[in-house]
Amino acid sequence: DSRTEEYREYNQDRWKHQNDLMKFYNSKAWRQLSKLVLNESYYVCRMCGEDATLSDHIIPVRVDWSLRLSKDNLQPLCESCHAIKTKKDKEMYGL
């Protein structure tokens, strides 16, 4: 699947070159907040209503670092919807 490969390459680049992001996404604070958002939404994707598997930053952390732990800036998404949103974010913000 080309989308899976694109997502894998994006993450490899992100982890390789962006230590702050790596540290943040591996932090206890992020893991706890992400799980809270998923639990409160009953693991339902905000975009399509299917099973959510991750918490997404509405405004990406690379755009506004100060919102990284703001619960109001998070939404539950499934992998497919997250891939679509990530693509839109890249186009909108030049990420």
Side-chain angles (χ1 to χ4, degrees):
D1 179 45
S2 64
R3 185 170 47 196
T4 302
E5 183 61 30
E6 178 183 335
Y7 190 68
R8 184 179 298 122
E9 289 174 10
Y10 166 76
N11 277 327
Q12 286 174 347
D13 178 64
R14 181 170 70 171
W15 296 142
K16 183 177 179 183
H17 300 290
Q18 298 175 22
N19 287 333
D20 289 340
L21 279 176
M22 184 176 72
K23 288 175 186 174
F24 167 67
Y25 282 115
N26 287 316
S27 71
K28 184 177 180 179
W30 167 249
R31 290 191 312 269
Q32 288 177 335
L33 183 58
S34 177
K35 188 170 184 167
L36 176 67
V37 168
L38 290 169
N39 282 329
E40 287 183 353
S41 71
Y42 301 101
Y43 286 81
V44 174
C45 177
R46 180 170 286 170
M47 294 177 78
C48 72
E50 295 295 322
D51 292 338
T53 55
L54 51 90
S55 296
D56 170 70
H57 288 93
I58 298 166
I59 298 172
V61 295
R62 290 171 58 187
V63 173
D64 191 341
W65 182 254
S66 69
L67 296 175
R68 70 191 178 281
L69 289 174
S70 170
K71 189 174 153 195
D72 293 334
N73 188 44
L74 296 175
Q75 62 184 347
L77 294 181
C78 67
E79 288 186 32
S80 296
C81 289
H82 185 259
I84 291 166
K85 182 181 175 292
T86 298
K87 184 176 179 180
K88 288 180 183 178
D89 287 346
K90 284 181 181 181
E91 293 169 1
M92 180 182 295
Y93 298 112
L95 302 175

